[in-house]
Amino acid sequence: MKTSQILKKAKNYFKELTIVTAGVLIALFISNYKENSKARDYHKSSLKTIQKEVQNNYSNLKIIIEKQTKLVDTINKYSDDKITIGDIILAKGDGLKASLLSNSGLEFYKKNQINSIDFEMMSKLINIESIIKLIDAKMEKLMDYLYPNLFVNSEESKKLVVMHMKNLLQSEIQLRREYEKFLEEYEKNINDTE
């Protein structure tokens, strides 16, 4: 009789333990599911933010490339004339335009998305970031040359400005292509996930 009571108590104990364990496991499953869902939503919204930033940069860059190309043509047109580089750029060429490229989405993504990083996308974004830094360096080099030569009217100085600008344009065109590839792939990825 004692053994049957002990077995009955043990059986009840294991029943309750099983119910409690199942309840805890279900609660953990639900909690994990909610956490993963929030992480997916956060990841998608981060990618949309990056996509908008890239789209804005792309639109601005297209305009800048067009204006800088016109300025190169203008400088070439007036390279034989006795007009200063500054007058060509300001009066004839409507000024020198620089692209203001934002890369804050990438920085945020790198710092906050360590668990859900798409390494292929990260690689593309880092490549874009390196081209942006190269463009900044080339623009700085152009400006370092321009400031002391704004009042110079020699053909050689104008050709050097054109060389600096073509060098800058080359990187900007490369960045434009990278933006186009990124946006095209982003659209494919969004369509695949929906």
Side-chain angles (χ1 to χ4, degrees):
M1 185 149 172
K2 253 186 167 180
T3 353
S4 81
Q5 276 185 335
I6 293 174
L7 283 174
K8 200 174 191 179
K9 283 184 182 182
K11 198 175 181 183
N12 284 338
Y13 174 74
F14 282 121
K15 253 190 211 177
E16 288 178 24
L17 183 62
T18 304
I19 291 170
V20 169
T21 303
V24 168
L25 289 175
I26 290 170
L28 285 173
F29 175 77
I30 291 170
S31 174
N32 193 26
Y33 177 79
K34 284 181 180 179
E35 193 174 306
N36 286 340
S37 179
K38 284 181 185 178
R40 271 192 310 276
D41 291 345
Y42 184 75
H43 181 72
K44 281 183 182 179
S45 67
S46 296
L47 293 179
K48 284 182 182 179
T49 301
I50 291 171
Q51 184 267 344
K52 285 178 186 174
E53 184 176 84
V54 168
Q55 184 64 50
N56 287 338
N57 285 349
Y58 175 71
S59 299
N60 292 336
L61 190 61
K62 280 179 25 179
I63 293 166
I64 295 300
I65 288 172
E66 183 181 316
K67 289 183 179 194
Q68 287 178 350
T69 302
K70 286 180 183 176
L71 181 58
V72 166
D73 293 342
T74 303
I75 294 170
N76 281 329
K77 178 180 175 183
Y78 293 101
S79 65
D80 295 337
D81 296 353
K82 291 294 179 193
I83 184 171
T84 67
I85 294 171
D87 287 339
I88 293 173
I89 291 172
L90 297 174
K92 307 283 185 190
D94 195 29
L96 176 63
K97 308 293 188 240
S99 52
L100 298 173
L101 303 170
S102 173
N103 219 16
S104 56
L106 169 64
E107 292 302 317
F108 184 75
Y109 187 75
K110 284 193 304 191
K111 291 178 183 171
N112 295 307
Q113 292 292 323
I114 199 70
N115 294 332
S116 60
I117 288 178
D118 175 350
F119 288 103
E120 190 175 323
M121 177 180 285
M122 182 62 79
S123 173
K124 287 179 177 143
L125 291 170
I126 288 172
N127 186 39
I128 287 171
E129 179 181 42
S130 67
I131 296 171
I132 289 172
K133 287 179 182 177
L134 180 62
I135 288 170
D136 289 344
K138 287 181 177 184
M139 179 57 90
E140 189 173 324
K141 191 148 185 98
L142 171 63
M143 297 311 289
D144 286 346
Y145 179 77
L146 270 180
Y147 284 131
N149 292 293
L150 279 175
F151 302 107
V152 175
N153 63 6
S154 73
E155 186 177 349
E156 295 81 24
S157 294
K158 294 171 189 168
K159 285 182 179 179
L160 279 171
V161 170
V162 168
M163 286 174 47
H164 278 293
M165 290 196 65
K166 283 184 175 180
N167 188 25
L168 175 63
L169 275 165
Q170 180 184 15
S171 294
E172 289 173 338
I173 290 168
Q174 180 186 5
L175 181 60
R176 184 186 67 197
R177 286 187 199 121
E178 290 297 318
Y179 281 153
E180 288 167 350
K181 285 193 281 187
F182 178 87
L183 291 169
E184 183 180 303
E185 188 155 317
Y186 175 82
E187 288 300 320
K188 277 192 237 174
N189 287 341
I190 287 299
N191 292 335
D192 290 345
T193 58
E194 291 178 348

